[in-house]
Amino acid sequence: MAKTFLVVAEARGGKLRQVSFEALRAAQLSAAEGDAIHAALIGGSGTKALASELTAYGAESIYVVEDAALDNYNSEAYLSALLAVTGVVKPNALYYGHTAAGRDLAPLAAAKLGAGQLSDVTEISRSGDRVEFTRPLYAGKAVEKKAFTDPNGPWVVTIRPNNIAPQAPDATRQASVIDVAYPAPSLRSIIREVVKKTSGAIDLAEAKIVVSGGRGVRSAEGFQPLEELAAVLGGAVGASRGACDAGYCEYAMQIGQTGKVVTPEIYIACGISGAIQHLAGMSSSRVIIAINKDAEAPIFKVADYGIVGDLFEVVPLLTEEFRQLLK
Ligand code: FAD
């Protein structure tokens, strides 16, 4: 029986998030010949204009729920918009990015649809009807492979950002764009104002390069050299909880067990000891570079490259070197 996959795309600041294309690819890897892959695009004014990009990445139809009430993410409002789309599409499987919104919405949708759910998937393989999902466990120390018992679903799956490469976009692809009316439910809560805590333009969870600071940066000003390095590399700045607890930076920057999980191509840890709770949020990074003045610091056990030295000397040297190289 041919299956229908529905990928929920996510936009922020008028742009589709990269993980939306990765979730589309995840659906493509899960689908067999003849299966349909559609996308749901939910948001405020101007959302529909983003449909063409989803077409280029391979969505066959894009179901758009656009309403001013969806300008800011709200669980109840987005869930009712999503259920309006699933009511039309009747998907066997629903895919979402493992983002803050995805982590909120996916289990709600799974409960409403009576679906099984798998979160934080990093790899997908398919043989015949069986689709196998890989996800990390125990702070990345182990992985598990799982499959749904009923191949026809319904399933709900969230995809960890930066793990499944999207297919190359093709602007000549065609798709139908279908409007779905926002059901305008009566909401128990409304968003009055969104106050952004971080000014960084690059989303930490999706950044290809992350420069992180720990208690070793010694002050809020101590993050300045890290910000300069991140700016030269086009990366984002993160932090250990040690740095957040000390008041050097916002908790929104915290990486680890109780912070964000990141899997960038390059993670540069500056003045971070490498506690197990920090490793939980970054140990799956492709290349880890550690800068620490203590040669015995545990971070060096997970680092691909280690620099024993004072970060206030090493980081500006790296910044200057990259500035010259990337000129
Ligand atoms: P420290 O351990 O104090 O390390 C500072 C490092 O900087 C040292 O290695 C030192 O050698 C080095 N250093 C100092 N000066 C310099 C310099 N000038 N140049 C170079 N190196 C220098 N932590 C997280 O990060 N994320 C989490 O999500 C998290 N969740 C937690 C959840 C629980 C339940 C608990 C109990 C703890 C959690 N922690 C978390 C805290 C964690 O255990 C550590 O305390 C924390 O990660 C330490 O932060 P740090 O490495 O910045 O500080």
Side-chain angles (χ1 to χ4, degrees):
M1 189 184 87
K3 290 201 284 281
T4 301
F5 290 79
L6 181 67
V7 177
V8 186
E10 201 181 321
R12 182 187 276 181
K15 277 179 72 183
L16 283 169
R17 297 185 69 169
Q18 172 71 10
V19 72
S20 306
F21 310 128
E22 296 169 0
L24 253 177
R25 181 64 184 149
Q28 287 154 352
L29 291 171
S30 313
E33 182 106 32
D35 288 348
I37 299 173
H38 305 307
L41 189 50
I42 298 166
S45 326
T47 297
K48 195 172 177 179
L50 305 172
S52 59
E53 232 188 321
L54 290 167
T55 309
Y57 279 91
E60 291 164 40
S61 309
I62 296 119
Y63 292 81
V64 182
V65 189
E66 180 179 303
D67 195 284
L70 300 165
D71 275 346
N72 291 313
Y73 180 77
N74 171 305
S75 311
E76 286 175 276
Y78 270 63
L79 180 63
S80 74
L82 177 58
L83 294 177
V85 177
T86 57
V88 179
V89 178
K90 307 219 177 330
N92 301 86
L94 195 64
Y95 282 40
Y96 211 121
H98 194 70
T99 57
R103 278 183 282 179
D104 184 43
L105 193 57
L108 290 171
K112 289 283 184 192
L113 299 172
Q117 193 194 330
L118 273 177
S119 300
D120 209 12
V121 167
T122 53
E123 246 179 83
I124 292 174
S125 63
R126 194 173 61 80
S127 107
D129 234 11
R130 187 182 159 87
V131 181
E132 202 170 69
F133 300 88
T134 303
R135 54 193 297 270
L137 284 179
Y138 305 121
K141 287 202 174 312
V143 291
E144 66 173 357
K145 289 182 184 290
K146 283 194 157 181
F148 289 99
T149 44
D150 186 346
N152 293 318
W155 317 330
V156 173
V157 177
T158 65
I159 307 296
R160 184 185 280 201
N162 275 345
N163 279 267
I164 297 175
Q167 70 171 2
D170 175 353
T172 65
R173 285 198 179 104
Q174 303 281 321
S176 33
V177 178
I178 300 136
D179 290 311
V180 177
Y182 174 56
S186 59
L187 302 175
R188 280 169 292 186
S189 63
I190 53 166
I191 311 290
R192 287 219 177 274
E193 191 190 359
V194 176
V195 181
K196 290 208 169 119
K197 285 270 188 174
T198 47
S199 55
I202 300 170
D203 189 283
L204 194 51
E206 289 186 2
K208 300 278 179 225
I209 299 179
V210 173
V211 182
S212 258
R215 221 180 326 242
V217 302
R218 295 204 298 256
S219 66
E221 296 71 44
F223 267 95
Q224 181 70 30
L226 278 57
E227 277 156 17
E228 283 168 26
L229 177 58
V232 166
L233 295 174
V237 179
S240 71
R241 177 154 143 192
C244 301
D245 283 346
Y248 305 160
C249 58
E250 298 287 352
Y251 279 101
M253 288 163 66
Q254 184 183 319
I255 290 166
Q257 187 184 315
T258 43
K260 294 196 166 81
V261 174
V262 297
T263 39
E265 280 166 18
I266 304 176
Y267 187 86
I268 308 178
C270 310
I272 294 177
S273 59
I276 182 81
Q277 296 89 352
H278 186 75
L279 302 187
M282 46 63 75
S283 60
S284 305
S285 306
R286 224 149 280 166
V287 175
I288 298 172
I289 302 169
I291 304 165
N292 197 302
K293 63 181 186 186
D294 175 8
E296 303 297 322
I299 190 77
F300 287 124
K301 294 206 173 81
V302 297
D304 299 284
Y305 300 95
I307 303 173
V308 179
D310 186 330
L311 72 94
F312 294 105
E313 288 169 22
V314 177
V315 173
L317 287 174
L318 286 177
T319 306
E320 199 38 49
E321 200 63 28
F322 283 122
R323 195 172 275 135
Q324 296 305 327
L325 272 172
L326 301 172
K327 233 186 215 169

